[in-house]
Amino acid sequence: MGFTRTLVLNIDRDDDIGFKADVESPVTGRDACLDAAIRLALADPEDSDLNAIFQAVSTYDKLIADGEEAEIAVIGGNHFRFIEGDRKIAKLLDEVIHTTGCNQCILVTDGGEDEYILPIIQNKINISSIQRVVVSQMPNLEGTYYILKKLFSDPKISKTVLVLPGLTLLLYAISYAVNRPEIATMVIAGCVGGYLLYKGFSLDEVVRSEVVDLRSTLYRGRFSFVTYIGGIIFAIIGVMEGTSALTNYWDGSGIFPMAIIFLWGAVAWFTLAAITTSLGSIIDSFLYEHESLSRAVIYSYFISAIGVLAFGGMSYTLSNLSLDQFPITQDLGITYIIQGAIGGLICAFVGIILQHFISIWAQDKGEAISFQ
């Protein structure tokens, strides 16, 4: 049987030990982990990560008492950006494994967000056991009220639980205030559906990353900052145009026609917003990063192709729904979808050809610089 050395590992994905207790990760060794737990307890005695760290220490002590070779470590991620935090956890876990020489792991977690990083840990080391720590509470009305109060005061939970009902009530109030109660259900259904899709597809992480990128382009003086702002403006205009088309042509026939009408009115502006944004990336790539220029160019052409195809397809679809006052007839809808297909293929083809020649140019440019 080969040599076995066990790592008792606690992952603090939102880095409470760093954010609240100012403890730098990774924390290795029994004494250091106890010190981190005490500092976190002084900073926030009610944090569940505190119990998980003490459970890790207890598990470590049992392994040592049984004569096993073991090490203990606590690793924190990022309190605000989970994508960067997960990358940090993967990097620090490599360091801990290399330093301690462990070849299997007992993961101690308080559940919830920490268990999202299981695939990262399994990719680095064999997990032989998982211990989930559940904090016991008094089963009475006062204790239940206290727990709910703490949950709602937690920003991570309140953003999910409270925002949706609050948004629904606010939209109802606005709809009745403008004397259009008949659109209240439609507006709320659209907003709630959009919010659920926004959270369901983790678009909040994407939006947060885009905001960080936008701030970075401003600080570095990149041209793409201006085109980002232009893209945002065009996207807002697209929403307004889509809403205007919805008001003019939707006859209450169903959710599917409603969505298609909105996108039909907004797709040209959304496409323009994406192309404007990619234009900044093209200019910045040409000036600073030649190797990424071909990707920026092909992106703009593919976006154009998708926009043309989408407009043609939606025009044809809506022309066959017999909507009142819709300006596109069935014959014209057939013309639009044919033109959209041809235009989309041409855009994609031109983009691929340009990407090929730009890739060759960028490679030659890089070789010329390396020779100098």
Side-chain angles (χ1 to χ4, degrees):
M1 182 179 294
F3 174 77
T4 300
R5 191 178 186 88
T6 303
L7 174 65
V8 181
L9 178 64
N10 171 246
I11 299 294
D12 181 11
R13 193 180 184 218
D14 54 359
D15 194 30
D16 286 331
I17 60 171
F19 183 77
K20 297 178 181 179
D22 198 24
V23 176
E24 185 177 355
S25 295
V27 182
T28 56
R30 184 181 188 276
D31 293 339
C33 290
L34 277 177
D35 179 69
I38 293 172
R39 293 172 65 176
L40 180 58
L42 293 174
D44 185 1
E46 299 172 338
D47 196 307
S48 60
D49 290 303
L50 171 65
N51 300 277
I53 298 175
F54 279 122
Q55 178 62 55
V57 174
S58 175
T59 302
Y60 169 80
D61 289 342
K62 291 178 181 177
L63 293 177
I64 295 299
D66 292 338
E68 296 189 28
E69 293 285 339
E71 293 290 342
I72 182 173
V74 178
I75 299 178
N78 189 294
H79 193 74
F80 297 103
R81 302 186 63 187
F82 282 162
I83 294 178
E84 289 188 3
D86 292 346
R87 293 173 179 171
K88 174 186 173 183
I89 290 170
K91 179 182 178 182
L92 294 180
L93 182 56
D94 281 332
E95 295 178 4
V96 170
I97 293 173
H98 177 74
T99 303
T100 61
C102 295
N103 51 15
Q104 69 175 15
C105 167
I106 296 177
L107 179 63
V108 181
T109 173
D110 61 345
E113 293 171 348
D114 292 341
E115 296 188 6
Y116 283 105
I117 45 80
L118 273 177
I120 298 176
I121 302 173
Q122 290 172 332
N123 190 46
K124 304 291 183 181
I125 190 173
N126 179 46
I127 298 179
S128 59
S129 177
I130 298 177
Q131 293 184 331
R132 293 178 175 86
V133 179
V134 179
V135 181
S136 300
Q137 298 286 348
M138 290 294 293
N140 52 34
L141 182 61
E142 181 180 358
T144 302
Y145 167 77
Y146 177 75
I147 295 170
L148 292 176
K149 181 180 178 181
K150 293 301 296 181
L151 288 177
F152 287 139
S153 65
D154 188 339
K156 293 181 292 186
I157 298 176
S158 61
K159 288 179 181 179
T160 303
V161 177
L162 299 182
V163 168
L164 196 55
L167 179 63
T168 301
L169 295 175
L170 179 62
L171 290 173
Y172 260 119
I174 293 175
S175 299
Y176 279 93
V178 297
N179 294 323
R180 295 293 299 274
E182 68 277 4
I183 66 172
T185 303
M186 180 186 71
V187 173
I188 289 171
C191 293
V192 171
Y195 178 80
L196 293 177
L197 290 175
Y198 176 78
K199 298 297 291 185
F201 286 106
S202 299
L203 295 180
D204 50 342
E205 292 288 338
V206 177
V207 171
R208 190 178 296 112
S209 298
E210 290 297 326
V211 171
V212 172
D213 292 340
L214 180 62
R215 188 185 299 119
S216 176
T217 58
L218 173 62
Y219 291 158
R220 292 185 295 174
R222 297 294 179 92
F223 186 78
S224 55
F225 174 77
V226 179
T227 58
Y228 273 137
I229 300 300
I232 292 173
I233 293 174
F234 287 139
I236 294 173
I237 295 175
V239 173
M240 296 171 61
E241 290 294 326
T243 305
S244 176
L246 194 61
T247 304
N248 293 330
Y249 305 123
W250 188 53
D251 57 4
S253 56
I255 298 297
F256 177 74
M258 179 183 73
I260 297 298
I261 292 172
F262 175 83
L263 292 175
W264 177 82
V267 65
W269 292 99
F270 286 167
T271 304
L272 183 59
I275 293 174
T276 303
T277 303
S278 66
L279 179 63
S281 300
I282 292 173
I283 295 175
D284 286 342
S285 298
F286 178 78
L287 295 175
Y288 307 108
E289 301 171 353
H290 294 152
E291 65 277 2
S292 62
L293 179 59
S294 61
R295 294 194 299 271
V297 170
I298 193 66
Y299 172 79
S300 63
Y301 276 90
F302 271 28
I303 286 295
S304 301
I306 293 172
V308 172
L309 284 168
F311 181 79
M314 287 184 290
S315 297
Y316 173 75
T317 301
L318 293 175
S319 68
N320 286 275
L321 294 179
S322 302
L323 299 173
D324 294 338
Q325 301 180 347
F326 191 68
I328 300 177
T329 63
Q330 291 185 0
D331 293 338
L332 191 58
I334 295 175
T335 303
Y336 278 176
I337 193 172
I338 294 174
Q339 292 177 348
I342 296 174
L345 291 174
I346 292 175
C347 287
F349 180 75
V350 172
I352 292 173
I353 296 299
L354 280 178
Q355 183 190 36
H356 174 70
F357 286 108
I358 290 173
S359 297
I360 296 176
W361 173 82
Q363 184 177 1
D364 294 340
K365 188 79 173 179
E367 291 177 355
I369 293 175
S370 62
F371 284 138
Q372 293 176 359

